[in-house]
Amino acid sequence: LSIFFFQLERTFIAIKPDGVQRGLISEIMSRFERKGFKLVAIKITVPSKDFAQKHYHDLKTRAFFDVLCDVFSSGPVIAMVWEGEGVIKYGRKLIGATDPQKSEPGTIRGDLAVVVGRNIIHGSDGPETAKDEINLWFKPEELVNYSSNAEKWLY
Ligand code: RTP
């Protein structure tokens, strides 16, 4: 069955400064890669506070907004776009609940983080946010279209 019959969705995933500083980049990326999702864009960047506020604009009325944006802009972030069937919802599953005290063992936050303010990773929470966040972080030409050998066996 040709992969061209599938509408593969995309999601925005960021390894936050705490995840980068703790040396968890490859650990986190390998979980998405081994699942069968495909990396189609990646960069390392230190977001400005203004950019962090744009990224988290949905949370601007929350008490933790300012601290959240300070932490998010405090160091390098790995910004990525991952592609695959069901990647938005399943990516959130791989990541685990927002509060690492509540995320299940086996999830990224469950296995690797302890407190909500240092939960190491962000993932888009739905199709609309995924589209908006991909557009905020990447220019269209930074997204790479390619077919991987694995896809023939995954789909
Ligand atoms: P994210 O957007 O980072 O993937 O996280 P999420 O959807 O699981 O959680 P969300 O409610 O959107 O919150 C965004 C980030 O804000 C921080 N947070 N701190 N101090 C607190 O009570 C608190 N609550 C949330 C977390 O870093 C969370 O990932």
Side-chain angles (χ1 to χ4, degrees):
L1 185 64
S2 164
I3 58 161
F4 299 113
F5 288 109
F6 289 94
Q7 177 64 55
L8 295 178
E9 64 179 38
R10 289 173 168 182
T11 193
F12 174 73
I13 300 291
I15 305 175
K16 300 183 192 182
D18 48 329
V20 174
Q21 294 299 336
R22 289 183 50 211
L24 296 172
I25 299 169
S26 59
E27 165 73 41
I28 291 170
M29 288 181 67
S30 73
R31 292 182 182 218
F32 280 83
E33 195 178 32
R34 284 181 298 164
K35 170 70 178 167
F37 295 136
K38 186 169 79 178
L39 184 65
V40 295
I42 184 166
K43 67 173 99 173
I44 181 162
T45 177
V46 181
S48 65
K49 182 149 182 198
D50 181 63
F51 191 87
Q53 287 167 341
K54 280 201 186 93
H55 171 76
Y56 278 124
H57 69 275
D58 281 354
L59 300 170
K60 62 171 173 279
T61 59
R62 306 297 291 275
F64 57 81
F65 181 68
D66 199 52
V67 175
L68 174 65
C69 294
D70 275 340
V71 173
F72 197 71
S73 58
S74 68
V77 165
I78 305 292
M80 299 175 280
V81 179
W82 286 87
E83 183 183 282
E85 196 169 321
V87 70
I88 300 173
K89 215 166 170 188
Y90 206 91
R92 299 276 292 181
K93 219 165 170 169
L94 287 177
I95 289 170
T98 306
D99 180 353
Q101 295 287 336
K102 300 195 175 112
S103 26
E104 295 298 324
T107 65
I108 291 167
R109 286 167 174 163
D111 288 348
L112 306 169
V114 188
V115 296
V116 72
R118 295 280 190 272
N119 64 1
I120 65 173
I121 181 167
H122 162 83
S124 305
D125 61 11
E128 281 308 306
T129 12
K131 202 158 59 140
D132 292 350
E133 290 173 355
I134 291 168
N135 288 336
L136 175 67
W137 285 82
F138 290 99
K139 301 186 193 110
E141 63 268 26
E142 292 176 309
L143 301 171
V144 180
N145 289 304
Y146 66 103
S147 61
S148 76
N149 263 333
E151 281 170 309
K152 285 198 284 248
W153 300 96
L154 280 164
Y155 299 111

